[in-house]
Amino acid sequence: DMIDKSKVKIIPIPCPVVIIDDFYNNEELELIMHELNFLTPEKLLPPELTGSASDDDGRLKKVNQGRFLDDLYTDRDVSNILRLNRKAFSPHIINFLVGVHDVYLGYKYATRDNTLVSHYNDKNYYEPHRDQSVFTTLSWFYNQPKPFTGGDLILTDYDKTIECKFNRMVFMYGSLKHEVTKVKGNGRYCISNFVGMQ
């Protein structure tokens, strides 16, 4: 279970962002896509019901649909996504992250995490915001061929863009300001894991 270094990119900001491409294998991807397609659209909720960040006037910063899977499944093992996203906490991943920067010791010793599935259709976006987590992981999926453009992740304070690529996993500090560019087309899925919340 070694990490293929050719699949890794690191953005060297004070708390480095770690990007790993082709994170899940084909069998895992099939199970994840099956569940994402099962959830859409009837089982997903509007942004006011999925913990959206808001501005000082209370206006929501995101336009999309989503669902916290921990609210949907009392037994995590019933969900392909909740079972398979444990891979992000496997020892070889954690050891790799800690090797990138000591700050990821916080990820190693996190006690809780919540998983949000988000679905972006045409003109959906998420304005600059910070997460209420210690760490956030983001992974992106869509039915092939890619049915949209946009939907890239921007690290707002550092003017860095991370392209939305299928089966790409991003590890970052939750309070790092980030945004999602407007989607043109339909069918962008993001699985967000908010780690370290009490």
Side-chain angles (χ1 to χ4, degrees):
D1 260 342
M2 294 296 290
I3 291 182
D4 181 348
K5 298 284 172 51
S6 71
K7 305 281 188 187
V8 176
K9 294 186 186 75
I10 295 168
I11 298 178
I13 56 179
C15 179
V17 174
V18 178
I19 303 162
I20 304 177
D21 285 334
D22 301 327
F23 189 78
Y24 295 101
N25 65 36
N26 288 337
E27 185 185 337
E28 291 164 341
L29 285 170
E30 202 171 312
L31 291 168
I32 288 168
M33 289 307 304
H34 183 268
E35 185 169 352
L36 291 173
N37 288 316
F38 163 75
L39 291 169
T40 311
E42 296 85 2
K43 298 165 192 72
L44 298 180
L45 302 171
E48 62 269 19
L49 297 178
T50 56
S52 173
S54 54
D55 64 19
D56 293 340
D57 298 326
R59 186 183 60 86
L60 299 185
K61 291 191 168 190
K62 72 180 176 185
V63 177
N64 65 16
Q65 294 177 292
R67 192 84 191 227
F68 276 100
L69 294 190
D70 305 86
D71 296 342
L72 201 56
Y73 302 99
T74 51
D75 179 355
R76 275 191 159 194
D77 288 338
V78 172
S79 165
N80 296 335
I81 293 168
L82 291 180
R83 192 167 43 80
L84 293 169
N85 76 359
R86 300 302 89 193
K87 187 174 187 171
F89 296 97
S90 56
H92 74 288
I93 295 289
I94 285 174
N95 291 337
F96 179 75
L97 292 171
V98 170
V100 170
H101 197 287
D102 283 350
V103 75
Y104 283 103
L105 283 165
Y107 182 84
K108 178 177 183 175
Y109 295 112
T111 53
R112 262 195 83 187
D113 65 276
N114 285 315
T115 302
L116 174 68
V117 166
S118 300
H119 182 248
Y120 289 73
N121 280 326
D122 196 45
K123 299 186 177 65
N124 287 182
Y125 58 85
Y126 204 151
E127 292 173 0
H129 65 285
R130 302 178 197 277
D131 295 339
Q132 292 179 327
S133 56
V134 181
F135 295 93
T136 296
T137 72
L138 304 168
S139 49
W140 297 313
F141 306 91
Y142 40 82
N143 290 296
Q144 308 275 13
K146 190 176 186 179
F148 62 90
T149 56
D152 295 326
L153 183 74
I154 296 180
L155 306 179
T156 317
D157 291 339
Y158 297 95
D159 197 26
K160 302 274 189 199
T161 299
I162 302 172
E163 184 187 348
C164 175
K165 287 180 77 169
F166 184 79
N167 195 20
R168 168 172 273 182
M169 177 71 84
V170 178
F171 296 84
M172 67 184 203
Y173 215 51
S175 61
L176 187 62
K177 192 183 274 191
H178 56 287
E179 61 189 284
V180 178
T181 62
K182 191 173 281 189
V183 169
K184 187 175 180 184
N186 292 303
R188 176 194 188 271
Y189 289 105
C190 179
I191 298 175
S192 307
N193 214 22
F194 302 110
V195 180
M197 295 187 295
Q198 294 309 306

